[in-house]
Each structure stands twice: as C-alpha cells, then as structure tokens.
C-alpha cells in the first residue's frame, strides 16, 4: 500500500473531506427510482451501526480530515435515536447537514437548529400531488410542500432535489424553476441514475442538455445566468435574472464530475463505499467491533477508488445492467 500520510487521499490526487452517512435502510416513502416495489432485503438490526459506532467511525474520519458530514438514509429522521446521533456528531468540528424527504421534518426544527444543522436537502419530484403519490407510492405531498416552506421560513438553507424522469416530470422543469422566483431555495435537477432494482433505462434519463433546452425555450437567453460553482460542487448552477432562488443540474450520467469528487459514503450497516457507483465495499463495522483500528481499511478503500464512476467510465459501461446492478439499491446507499 502507498504510504501516504493522508489516508483520505486517493491515487488520483483527490482528497476526501466529505462523508455521507446513511443512518437507516428504511423509509416512510417508496420512491420508484430509489427502491423496488417489493422493498429491499434489510440488514438484521444487530448489523446496523449504533449511535456510538456512528460517532466513533465519524470521529476517525474527522481526525483524518473530514470537515463535512451529511446524514442520509433511507429516511434519516425516522431513526428513533436521531436526536442523540445529532447531539454526538455536533460535538465534532464539522459542518453537519441532512438530506430528508421532509415528511416529518417539522417535528425536528428545534433539534436541528440546536445542533447547528443549517443545510437541508429535500426530495420533491413533482409539484402535482397526484404525481407525487405516483412516484413515492405515498400521499404525503401536502406535508412535504408545507415543510419546505417552513424550513425556509425558519432560516434553513434549502435545496430541493428533483430526480427527472422523461415523460413523467420533465414537463415540470419550468414550474420548478418558477418555484425559485420568490423562494430563496436551490432546485437541483438530478439525472436519473441506474442502481440495483430501479428499472433504469437511459431513455428515461433527462440529461443536462435536455434541461437547458427546456430553460432556453422558456426564458430569454440574457435572463439565464450561469453561476460560479463552488469547489467540489456536483452541480452546474444557474439563476433566472430577478429570481430569489437558483437552480442547478446534477449530471452524473451525461457529465460526471468525478475529477473533483471529495465524497465517501458510509452505509447504515457500516460499509464504506468509496464511490456512489462502487461495486465493492469495505467493512468498517466488523473491524470496529473486533476492537481493531479501522484506519488501514479506510486507507485501502480510498486507494482503490476508480477515477470515474466506480470504473464505469463510459456511458456504454454505465448502461450495462451487469455492471450497474453490481451495487446496492439507492435506498441503502443514501445518495
Ligand atoms: N430519504 C431522503 C431523501 O429522499 O432525500 C434521503 C435518502 S435519498 C436515497 C437521497 C437522494 O437520492 C434523494 O435526493 C433522491 O432523490 C436521490 N435518488 C434516489 N434514487 C436515485 C436515482 N436512481 N437517481 C438519482 N437520484 C436518486
Ligand atoms: Fe425514501 Fe428518499 Fe428513497 Fe424516496 S428517495 S424512497 S424518500 S430514501
């Protein structure tokens, strides 16, 4: 193994300062692009990280340079011990944030604020209640919509994640952009990605270029402003002149941003994924439970990271079911 001092530096020169932790494999929604209708095989409860284990693993990453932690799931807020997880992680010197479907987030406003969680990403794939029901298989549109407004009113920085699916919600791209007219939010259009069991088909993916075609047809060219992207940003950012909010496109399928990737992912059952698309995982939890150091395992996993999309470096490879299904369902990765 390469004897680098920074165990979070990979062989392609990327330093990893951002850890996404999935807290739970279950969810109170059933988004079709995220999980199969029949559900996923859940880990036995004893195989899931306890809050102490989450803290211990997170601390090791922070000791080696992680400065940002995002909690995800499944739905992170349905985990019963979420208050204590937030309390413990808030003691680490990191920016702590969360990705949620926002169905029950109104009950957590105080606790999120107490523990310094400022940035919240919320999934909302349609502004139409019946389409929301179709994609999530649950009737929760009103709550999610009201909770987005509540989060904004409470001063959180809110990004709304929209997974675009051709023929389903691409006719709402402009409605979503107009949602940012009076609301200081960022709407992020995400290209539909292939994962195990989500019936992905390239023909269903609405590309970055497709989004811009819709935008350019709806707004005068001079009103569409390209914003500067932050370092390590996964999205291409835009605003419409005079709008309070912004919009962005996450193009993992047609324009991967792997060169500047600084992310690592920890699954709820304690496996380190060096890439969203990786077929392999490193078992940190078993090692931790054996009382051994997880540091060498982290280093080995980081050094094994492929340059592009878990080795699926061409669109042709990404489209091969044998390759992209050699992964988990998204619900057990966390986005
Ligand atoms: N339950 C939370 C939520 O929905 O925000 C957190 C977990 S969810 C897996 C995290 C993100 O992954 C969501 O924004 C969701 O839209 C996105 N996602 C899930 N499956 C996807 C797919 N096949 N392609 C693109 N994004 C996906
Ligand atoms: Fe649940 Fe989020 Fe997956 Fe939807 S995208 S099923 S809300 S984990």
């Amino acid at each position: 193994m390469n004897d680098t001092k920074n165990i979070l530096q990979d062989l392609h020169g990327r330093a990893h300062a951002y850890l996404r932790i999935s807290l739970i494999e279950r969810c109170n929604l059933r988004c079709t692009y995220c999980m199969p209708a029949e559900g996923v095989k859940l880990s036995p409860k004893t195989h899931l990280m306890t809050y102490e284990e989450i803290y211990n693993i997170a601390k090791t990453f922070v000791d080696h340079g992680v400065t940002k932690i995002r909690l995800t799931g499944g739905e992170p807020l349905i985990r019963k011990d979420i208050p204590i997880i937030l309390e413990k992680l808030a003691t680490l010197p990191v920016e702590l944030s969360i990705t949620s479907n926002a169905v029950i987030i109104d009950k957590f406003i105080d606790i999120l604020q107490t523990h310094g969680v400022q940035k919240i990403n919320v999934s909302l794939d349609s502004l139409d209640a019946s389409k929301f029901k179709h994609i999530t298989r649950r009737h929760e549109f009103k709550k999610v919509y009201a909770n987005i407004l509540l989060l904004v009113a409470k001063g959180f920085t809110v990004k709304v994640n929209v997974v675009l699916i051709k023929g389903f919600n691409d006719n709402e791209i402009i409605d979503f952009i107009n949602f940012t007219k009076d609301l200081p939010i960022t709407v992020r259009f995400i290209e539909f990605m292939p994962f195990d069991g989500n019936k992905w088909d390239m023909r269903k993916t609405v590309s970055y270029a497709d989004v811009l075609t819709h935008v350019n047809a709806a707004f005068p060219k001079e009103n569409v402003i390209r914003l500067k992207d932050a370092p390590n940003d996964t999205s291409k950012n835009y605003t419409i002149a005079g709008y309070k909010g912004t919009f962005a496109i996450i193009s993992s399928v047609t324009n991967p941003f792997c060169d500047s990737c600084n992310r690592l992912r920890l699954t709820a059952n304690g496996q380190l994924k060096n890439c969203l698309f990786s077929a392999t995982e490193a078992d940190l939890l078993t090692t931790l439970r054996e009382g051994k150091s997880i540091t060498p395992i982290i280093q080995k996993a980081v050094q094994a990271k492929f340059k592009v999309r878990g080795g699926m470096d061409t669109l042709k490879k990404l489209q091969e079911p044998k390759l992209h299904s050699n992964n988990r369902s998204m619900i057990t990765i966390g986005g």
Side-chain angles (χ1 to χ4, degrees):
M1 188 188 302
N2 190 352
D3 187 24
T4 68
K5 282 215 182 66
N6 181 353
I7 66 160
L8 301 184
Q9 171 109 20
D10 73 9
L11 300 180
H12 309 284
R14 297 172 295 200
H16 295 81
Y18 183 2
L19 179 67
R20 299 175 63 99
I21 307 179
S22 174
L23 298 181
I24 188 162
E25 297 172 348
R26 290 180 296 111
C27 189
N28 45 357
L29 298 182
R30 292 277 179 283
C31 302
T32 55
Y33 53 75
C34 181
M35 62 186 295
E38 66 278 14
V40 292
K41 193 166 180 287
L42 299 174
S43 301
K45 209 158 175 254
T46 52
H47 292 204
L48 298 178
M49 297 182 291
T50 64
Y51 68 81
E52 284 111 336
E53 289 164 341
I54 292 170
Y55 172 78
N56 287 335
I57 295 176
K59 180 161 187 325
T60 303
F61 279 92
V62 173
D63 289 344
H64 288 278
V66 160
T67 55
K68 279 169 76 172
I69 292 181
R70 177 170 289 275
L71 303 179
T72 178
E75 174 48 36
L77 294 177
I78 64 169
R79 188 162 158 153
K80 292 279 181 300
D81 56 358
I82 182 77
I84 186 155
I85 293 172
L86 287 170
E87 187 186 323
K88 290 201 66 101
L89 293 180
T91 64
L92 296 172
V94 287
E95 176 192 289
L96 190 57
S97 57
I98 193 161
T99 298
S100 166
N101 60 33
V103 172
I104 55 168
I105 208 164
D106 48 309
K107 300 187 176 62
F108 294 88
I109 300 289
D110 289 348
I111 201 152
L112 291 167
Q113 285 179 334
T114 304
H115 298 304
V117 178
Q118 161 64 20
K119 295 182 175 173
I120 303 188
N121 293 357
V122 176
S123 296
L124 177 67
D125 304 307
S126 178
L127 292 165
D128 174 302
S130 62
K131 280 166 77 176
F132 178 95
K133 155 77 177 41
H134 180 81
I135 198 88
T136 64
R137 304 177 176 118
R138 293 290 183 272
H139 276 292
E140 300 287 10
F141 174 78
K142 271 193 184 156
K143 270 197 202 157
V144 174
Y145 190 86
N147 279 343
I148 289 173
L149 301 185
L150 177 69
L151 290 170
V152 174
K154 294 286 182 183
F156 290 98
T157 301
V158 179
K159 291 183 180 170
V160 172
N161 288 338
V162 184
V163 177
L164 288 175
I165 299 178
K166 204 161 266 178
F168 173 70
N169 58 357
D170 48 347
N171 62 348
E172 293 191 66
I173 290 172
I174 303 307
D175 295 341
F176 269 110
I177 293 176
N178 285 332
F179 193 34
T180 71
K181 186 171 184 196
D182 298 315
L183 272 188
I185 57 170
T186 299
V187 165
R188 303 194 309 170
F189 299 112
I190 306 179
E191 289 181 350
F192 179 32
M193 297 180 274
F195 293 95
D196 190 32
N198 75 352
K199 302 205 172 99
W200 179 84
D201 180 329
M202 185 61 205
R203 286 167 297 187
K204 293 187 196 163
T205 296
V206 180
S207 70
Y208 176 26
D210 294 336
V211 174
L212 289 185
T213 302
H214 282 270
V215 171
N216 291 329
F219 299 99
K221 208 172 164 209
E222 62 276 16
N223 286 3
V224 181
I225 301 163
R226 177 76 167 92
L227 301 171
K228 196 166 182 297
D229 304 327
N232 307 113
D233 218 336
T234 54
S235 52
K236 318 275 190 301
N237 293 272
Y238 293 81
T239 192
I240 300 296
Y243 281 25
K244 286 195 176 147
T246 63
F247 69 95
I249 302 148
I250 301 184
S251 55
S252 320
V253 175
T254 64
N255 273 285
F257 31 79
C258 305
D259 278 353
S260 62
C261 180
N262 67 343
R263 287 136 207 261
L264 294 169
R265 293 173 166 82
L266 180 63
T267 65
N269 65 344
Q271 310 298 303
L272 179 63
K273 283 182 79 71
N274 61 15
C275 171
L276 185 55
F277 293 101
S278 64
T280 56
E281 302 179 347
D283 186 355
L284 301 188
L285 186 57
T286 302
T287 308
L288 184 82
R289 287 182 177 175
E290 286 167 353
K292 297 186 199 146
S293 170
I294 58 172
T295 307
I297 305 190
I298 296 173
Q299 182 170 27
K300 194 170 167 210
V302 170
Q303 295 199 358
K305 179 161 172 159
F306 280 94
K307 195 164 190 293
V308 176
R309 254 183 341 222
M312 293 179 282
D313 51 358
T314 61
L315 201 48
K316 189 164 177 278
K317 286 187 197 162
L318 187 71
Q319 289 184 73
E320 276 181 35
K322 215 170 58 206
L323 294 179
H324 69 236
S325 298
N326 201 5
N327 193 355
R328 294 164 171 248
S329 288
M330 181 61 123
I331 188 160
T332 61
I333 305 175

